[in-house]
Amino acid sequence: MSARFDAIGMVVSDMAASVAFYRRLGFAFPEGAETQGHVEAELPGGLRFMMDTEEVVRSFRTEWRPPAAGEGRTSLALRCDSPAEVDALFGEMTAAGSRFGLKPFDAAWGQRYAVLHDPDGNGVDLFAPLPAGE
C-alpha cells in the first residue's frame, strides 16, 4: 500500500464567500465555483485544496454538524516571499473586509507573521522568514 497526501478539505458555510476569500489569496478556482457544492483548486506541488458546503457533507453524513464555538477548526499556513509581502497581503485582505486574528508582527521564532480568518473562522497564517540578524 502506498497512501500519499493528496488534498486538504474544508467544510464551508457560504461557498461564494469562501471562494472569494481564497481567490483573493491566489487560489485558482474555476469560473462558477461560487455556485457549486464541491470545488477544488490545484496547489503548487500537485496538492489540491477542496471545499464542500455543509449541505453536501450532510448528504452523505446526515449526523454532521459544524463545530461549536471553542472547538478546533482547520488552519492553513501560506508562506510569502518576504516580510513586506506578509504586510501587503494582510493589508489587501483586510481592506477587502477579511477578519483577522493577529496583525503582522516580527515573531520571536524568526518570521513576519499574521493570521487572517476565512468566512468560517478558520485561521489562515501568513508568514515569511525575517532577514538574518533581525
Side-chain angles (χ1 to χ4, degrees):
M1 177 178 256
S2 59
R4 61 183 172 81
F5 187 57
D6 183 71
I8 299 162
M10 274 191 200
V11 180
V12 301
S13 300
D14 181 336
M15 185 64 80
S18 295
V19 166
F21 176 87
Y22 285 103
R23 276 185 176 149
R24 280 192 298 274
L25 287 170
F27 288 60
F29 288 101
E31 189 68 33
E34 47 283 309
T35 65
Q36 302 300 308
H38 171 88
V39 298
E40 298 183 13
E42 189 168 328
L43 304 174
L47 291 175
R48 294 173 299 136
F49 178 64
M50 306 179 305
M51 295 189 296
D52 292 287
T53 61
E54 293 175 355
E55 294 76 21
V56 165
V57 173
R58 281 194 200 101
S59 75
F60 60 89
R61 289 186 57 200
T62 57
E63 76 288 352
W64 185 87
R65 299 290 176 261
E71 292 182 0
R73 283 200 170 237
T74 302
S75 179
L76 301 176
L78 303 179
R79 183 181 179 135
C80 297
D81 289 334
S82 69
E85 186 181 359
V86 171
D87 294 349
L89 187 52
F90 181 88
E92 288 173 29
M93 295 298 293
T94 55
S98 296
R99 296 173 293 141
F100 63 90
L102 291 171
K103 291 181 179 180
F105 70 100
D106 292 344
W109 54 86
Q111 294 175 338
R112 185 71 173 163
Y113 188 84
V115 178
L116 297 167
H117 289 160
D118 79 2
D120 289 296
N122 297 305
V124 177
D125 304 351
L126 305 176
F127 73 95
L130 291 170
E134 286 192 33

